[in-house]
Amino acid sequence: MGKEVKLDCLGEACPVPLIKTQKKIKDLDVGDTLIVEVDHSCAIKNVPEWARKEGYNCEIEEIDDGEWEIYIEKTK
């Protein structure tokens, strides 16, 4: 079981959450999960799209009205 790392992207507009996610996931080990906190609706589209294209497992959870957590498991 890998560790979980949170990335705060609240208040960040696209494409900043995607760029931060791409940088942060490079620091993680295989099996770790990156939890990206976002409140910008386009981030829940383009961050998971990128993650799935890279072959990572990805889930989105709405934690509050207009706030989401994107779980990305580094699989390779």
Side-chain angles (χ1 to χ4, degrees), residues 8-54:
D8 181 1
C9 290
L10 297 174
E12 307 275 15
C14 287
V16 177
L18 178 60
I19 293 167
K20 283 182 149 184
T21 301
Q22 290 170 329
K23 280 186 182 172
K24 190 71 178 177
I25 205 146
K26 288 179 186 169
D27 298 336
L28 302 186
D29 296 320
V30 172
D32 291 348
T33 300
L34 180 62
I35 304 167
V36 186
E37 300 170 309
V38 296
D39 59 0
H40 205 261
S41 61
C42 84
I44 62 167
K45 184 175 184 294
N46 64 13
V47 173
E49 269 182 9
W50 165 81
R52 290 182 182 124
K53 205 167 111 185
E54 292 292 315

Side-chain angles (χ1 to χ4, degrees), residues 38 61-69:
V38 296
E61 188 175 327
E62 185 165 11
I63 54 167
D64 204 348
D65 188 28
E67 283 186 25
W68 299 269
E69 288 182 340

